[in-house]
């Protein structure tokens, strides 16, 4: 079983921020469970890895200098795979668009580092290469973009529930070669400080 050092390190860093929420400008914390490597945007590479992933995110108050961009919230996140497959952690920005009472859409974009496979270590055309490709998503670059979309429902008080989709890929921009990408979808619960 491969180690989850990247995801665990990011999870630990995010967790370290939580106790000082009021002083640090932390707006909310999300925790959840994500179905890992599923068929959403690229079904050819889906279901090669097991899961689920445990997801953790700390979102901060939007700084004034981001007002021109619609006041997105900076975030720090980690997603740890429970089966020892790809874990990742990173940073990004997330917007919130309220609609229809207690509902909101939360699109986001970010940058993550992962501990998954980059390429096939075996020669093309060999049985070993075929077997390896059947069980691993080949992400091509250690660092990836993370795009996300959450559908959020706010309960009375500080709690909220969210259906979250996220996609990882280097998009041939921050990497080259293999770019199989990976999708996750799941449920997260959030606590809003001061809410």
């Amino acid at each position: 079983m491969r180690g989850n050092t990247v995801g665990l390190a990011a999870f630990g860093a995010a967790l370290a921020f939580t106790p000082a929420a009021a002083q640090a400008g932390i707006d909310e914390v999300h925790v959840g469970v994500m179905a890992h490597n599923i068929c959403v945007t690229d079904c050819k590479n889906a279901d090669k890895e097991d899961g689920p992933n445990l997801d953790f995110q700390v979102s901060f108050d939007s700084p004034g200098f981001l007002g021109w961009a619609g006041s997105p919230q900076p975030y720090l996140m980690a997603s740890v795979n429970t089966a020892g497959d790809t874990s990742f952690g990173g940073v990004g920005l997330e917007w919130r668009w309220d609609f229809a009472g207690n509902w909101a859409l939360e699109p986001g974009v970010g940058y993550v580092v992962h501990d998954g496979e980059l390429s096939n270590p075996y020669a093309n055309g060999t049985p070993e290469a075929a077997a390896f490709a059947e069980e691993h998503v080949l992400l091509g670059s250690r660092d990836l973009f993370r795009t996300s979309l959450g559908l959020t429902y706010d309960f009375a008080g500080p709690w909220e529930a969210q259906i979250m989709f996220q996609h990882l890929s280097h998009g041939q921009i921050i990497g080259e070669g293999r770019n199989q990408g990976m999708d996750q979808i799941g449920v997260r619960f959030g606590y809003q400080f001061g809410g």
Side-chain angles (χ1 to χ4, degrees):
M1 181 169 112
R2 196 170 61 250
N4 290 323
T5 46
V6 172
L8 290 175
F11 181 79
L15 197 57
F17 284 109
T18 304
Q23 293 91 12
I26 294 177
D27 182 64
E28 57 188 332
V29 175
H30 286 100
V31 294
V33 178
M34 307 292 285
H36 178 74
N37 186 216
I38 62 167
C39 172
V40 178
T41 62
D42 186 357
C43 296
K44 179 181 177 184
N45 299 305
D47 302 320
K48 292 182 177 182
E49 295 189 353
D50 295 323
N53 275 36
L54 302 178
D55 227 53
F56 183 81
Q57 180 173 312
V58 177
S59 299
F60 300 89
D61 294 330
S62 183
F65 69 86
L66 288 177
W68 66 270
S71 299
Q73 290 183 290
Y75 68 77
L76 175 66
M77 65 80 58
S79 189
V80 180
N81 185 265
T82 58
D85 286 326
T86 304
S87 294
F88 55 94
V91 298
L93 297 172
E94 196 169 75
W95 289 259
R96 181 181 174 98
W97 298 326
D98 293 307
F99 72 97
N102 293 356
W103 292 94
L105 279 177
E106 298 189 39
V109 62
Y111 168 86
V112 300
V113 177
H114 69 91
D115 66 355
E117 298 296 339
L118 303 182
S119 58
N120 198 322
Y122 300 102
N124 277 344
T126 64
E128 295 86 1
F132 189 86
E134 283 294 314
E135 296 182 7
H136 299 90
V137 178
L138 306 177
L139 295 167
S141 173
R142 187 60 58 205
D143 47 349
L144 302 169
F145 291 116
R146 174 186 182 251
T147 53
S148 61
L149 181 63
L151 175 62
T152 304
Y153 181 82
D154 287 318
F155 298 104
W159 296 99
E160 65 183 25
Q162 182 179 70
I163 297 172
M164 166 67 76
F165 164 76
Q166 53 191 355
H167 175 74
L168 305 180
S169 172
H170 65 66
Q172 304 293 342
I173 298 170
I174 55 177
E176 54 187 52
R178 289 282 188 177
N179 182 34
Q180 292 186 339
M182 183 178 295
D183 295 330
Q184 295 194 147
I185 194 166
V187 176
R188 305 194 315 178
F189 293 93
Y191 182 88
Q192 302 173 34
F193 294 94

